[in-house]
Structures are given as C-alpha cells and as structure tokens.
Amino acid sequence: MKASLGSLLAVAGAVSAGVPSLDAPECSVGKGTVQYNKSVPNQTDFPLTQVDVCYDDNSIHLTFTAFNETNYYFNESQTTNDPIWEYEVMEAFIYHGTNDPQTYLEFEVSPNNVTFQAWIYNPSKVRAAGAPLDTSYLTQPLVDGMTADTTLCKDEGIWISSATIPLGLFNVDVGQAKNTAWRMNFFRTVVSPDTFPDQFLGAWNPTNESNFHMTPFFGNVNFV
C-alpha cells in the first residue's frame, strides 16, 4: 500500500533535521565542495560525483564533475528545456531560505551542454501521489544570465559542466549574497543505450525513494 502524505511528511520531516551542510565562499576566495558516491534510494555504490559552489555579486557558480563516466549518453535531438533527465544529466535543486521549500529552481545540464531550467511548484514537498507538481519554464536562459559550459574528457572518464545561475532569480540584490542561507540538493543520472530507459540515480543527500523532488532532503548551504 502506498504511504499516505502524512506519513511521508513525518518521515521526511525527521530527515530534514539531519541533512548535510556546506559553506560556500565568494568565488574570489575559493569554493565549497561536496562529493557523493551513493545511489538513490538504496545508497549502494555510485560513480563519484563532485559539485563546487561559490558566488559573486551577481550569480551562483556551480561546477559539476562526473567521474567514472563510460556512456556520455544524451539525445542529440533534444534542446533547451526538453526532458534531458531521461538520459544522463547532473542537476541542482536550489531554494533561497532555510525551510523545506514548496517552490524551487531545478537546473540540469547534459553531456552535450543542453540545459533544463524551471521553477517547480511542489506543495506536498515530496511529490506525493495526487498532489500538484507544476513546472514553470525559464525559456530564455541566456538572456536571463544562465550559462553552462561542458567539457568531455573521455580519456579520463570525466565530464565537467560549469554553470552560472543569476542571484536575481531568488530576489537577492547585487552584492547582497554574503551571509544568505539556502537549501540545495545535487543529483546525477547514469544511463546507457543498453539500459535506457532504466536509470541509476545518485545524490548528495539521497532520498528514500526514486524521487528527487523531496525537499526535506535538501542540504543546507551557507554563503560565507
């Protein structure tokens, strides 16, 4: 029997008290770094993945690094805001604040540097069955100042994407990011032509089901 919304929120609420934390400095000083190697939801071994986080006056800067990559699998026909998550991507879910959010930014990038960026409205906080889950796409990411630059290092089994997310999306004024508090989680999908559409999922803070949209699992990120 599927768990009720109340039981899901009770479990998730207990989780949110013990989520991981990261201090991210100004980019001129350095970067905060997280690494993860556990799958969703079983927390078995997963290919090592790293995210570096820093900020400047105008933007959040994220550098995603996928290690132990063998597939670099993407759909060449897909473009901005297509369902690139069906293939291989690295992702960030981002919220400005400290509570478990109902609305947050979802940003994804694929090995061929195609991006997905949208506001997600998830009032149940756990993508509960029968509850709304709505998507509001950012249709002009380059105009908005959202960028991505992806490099494939196939000899080393790595791909790296550096992304820029404008602080203004979160109503943080220019030069005012220092000492702000955020909730974030980071994800990676692994899939090959042989396993598609089945995916291997990993996360900084793994959720307890195959569902990234569980905001009580978002970690705490502090801009220092």
Side-chain angles (χ1 to χ4, degrees):
M1 180 179 295
K2 190 168 182 65
S4 68
L5 174 57
S7 63
L8 282 171
L9 287 174
V11 171
V15 168
S16 67
V19 299
S21 295
L22 173 70
D23 288 341
E26 296 181 57
C27 297
S28 61
V29 175
K31 296 179 179 179
T33 298
V34 302
Q35 291 187 327
Y36 58 89
N37 60 359
K38 296 300 180 183
S39 69
V40 172
N42 297 324
Q43 299 197 39
T44 56
D45 289 343
F46 183 82
L48 180 65
T49 310
Q50 179 171 308
V51 186
D52 300 307
V53 185
C54 65
Y55 66 92
D56 61 22
D57 284 349
N58 299 289
S59 301
I60 302 169
H61 296 267
L62 305 173
T63 302
F64 304 92
T65 304
F67 296 94
N68 309 119
E69 181 61 67
T70 58
N71 306 306
Y72 305 91
Y73 190 43
F74 55 87
N75 184 334
E76 293 182 358
S77 70
Q78 291 183 325
T79 60
T80 301
N81 291 337
D82 282 345
I84 61 174
W85 63 83
E86 296 175 347
Y87 297 86
E88 293 202 306
V89 293
M90 290 186 279
E91 309 185 19
F93 288 10
I94 304 173
Y95 169 68
H96 177 212
T98 59
N99 58 306
D100 301 337
Q102 301 178 58
T103 302
Y104 46 91
L105 181 74
E106 178 176 353
F107 176 83
E108 306 177 6
V109 61
S110 70
N112 64 330
N113 205 49
V114 172
T115 61
F116 173 97
Q117 43 278 303
W119 290 107
I120 306 300
Y121 177 52
N122 178 13
S124 74
K125 303 184 179 183
V126 292
R127 198 181 189 177
L133 185 77
D134 203 358
T135 303
S136 179
Y137 297 99
L138 291 164
T139 60
Q140 300 183 82
L142 293 177
V143 174
D144 295 336
M146 303 182 75
T147 64
D149 182 34
T150 300
T151 302
L152 309 185
C153 306
K154 292 188 175 181
D155 290 344
E156 301 173 48
I158 294 172
W159 63 283
I160 302 169
S161 291
S162 298
T164 300
I165 312 291
L167 286 162
L169 289 173
F170 306 93
N171 294 308
V172 177
D173 290 334
V174 174
Q176 299 300 307
K178 190 177 182 66
N179 296 323
T180 55
W182 302 74
R183 298 291 300 279
M184 302 186 191
N185 210 350
F186 306 112
F187 308 99
R188 177 180 172 188
T189 63
V190 175
V191 61
S192 73
D194 293 333
T195 62
F196 182 85
D198 294 331
Q199 295 177 307
F200 194 27
L201 310 176
W204 177 33
N205 193 32
T207 54
N208 60 1
E209 57 183 65
S210 297
N211 169 17
F212 290 167
H213 292 271
M214 304 185 76
T215 71
F217 288 82
F218 285 18
N220 295 306
V221 179
N222 302 303
F223 286 0
V224 298

